[in-house]
Amino acid sequence: VPFHLQPPPTRPPTGVAPPIPGIWQLMTRTVTRPDGTAIVDPVLGEKPSGRLVYDPGGAMMLQMMRTGRKQAISTPANPKDASNARVSLGYDSYFGRYTVDEKAGTVTHHVEGSLFPEDLGDDWVRPFTLNGDTLTLRLTGEDGLTRTLVFQRMR
């Protein structure tokens, strides 16, 4: 039986904004405390590298890693991080589906697969701004830290 590729959808599924699909290069990732003080991210370091992919059909994936990563951190700076795989590995990766709520200015990542099993099935709502080929995502974790990720569309 011959294999035939299905034609791409003529329009994105409901909830997916047309301008967001593409391949995005992480330019900066800043971490701030609730008082606005910037700190170096204990997981990915000062200037991590990464790629975010949104396809027109609603699938997404994100991979980020500590720049210069040659091996896992054997002794993290903060002893409580010794059992945190994100910190010791210096890598984060997940994939799934995404939906966009243009009115609320959010994109939701529906996590289907992750390097970390505790993330499976999560829905992560991320406020975003899109300015030309610059996409900014923000998230505030349970730790009270706000992470701001700035991506540039790859051409």
Side-chain angles (χ1 to χ4, degrees), residues 23-47:
I23 300 173
W24 300 87
Q25 170 73 42
L26 181 64
M27 303 307 290
T28 62
R29 184 174 193 264
T30 56
V31 180
T32 54
R33 292 186 173 124
D35 68 3
T37 306
I39 62 170
V40 173
D41 186 321
V43 177
L44 300 174
E46 193 172 341
K47 186 161 175 41

Side-chain angles (χ1 to χ4, degrees), residues 45-142:
E46 193 172 341
K47 186 161 175 41
S49 60
R51 296 274 194 308
L52 171 62
V53 177
Y54 291 119
D55 86 358
M60 62 78 54
M61 66 183 85
L62 174 65
Q63 296 191 47
M64 296 182 293
M65 74 173 221
R66 186 177 51 251
T67 301
R69 175 181 178 265
K70 293 182 177 38
Q71 62 187 24
I73 299 171
S74 58
T75 309
N78 187 337
K80 74 177 180 106
D81 290 333
S83 63
N84 184 330
R86 282 184 174 84
V87 175
S88 63
L89 294 174
Y91 198 91
D92 198 2
S93 177
Y94 64 91
F95 67 89
R97 310 288 298 165
Y98 75 99
T99 52
V100 173
D101 183 336
E102 290 183 80
K103 191 173 192 174
T106 60
V107 58
T108 301
H109 296 172
H110 307 283
V111 181
E112 297 173 5
S114 175
L115 186 59
F116 304 101
E118 65 271 17
D119 297 341
L120 297 176
D122 284 356
D123 290 326
W124 294 334
V125 179
R126 309 291 192 227
F128 79 94
T129 58
L130 182 60
N131 185 5
D133 286 336
T134 302
L135 172 68
T136 303
L137 300 178
R138 285 188 181 77
L139 59 126
T140 300
E142 293 176 6

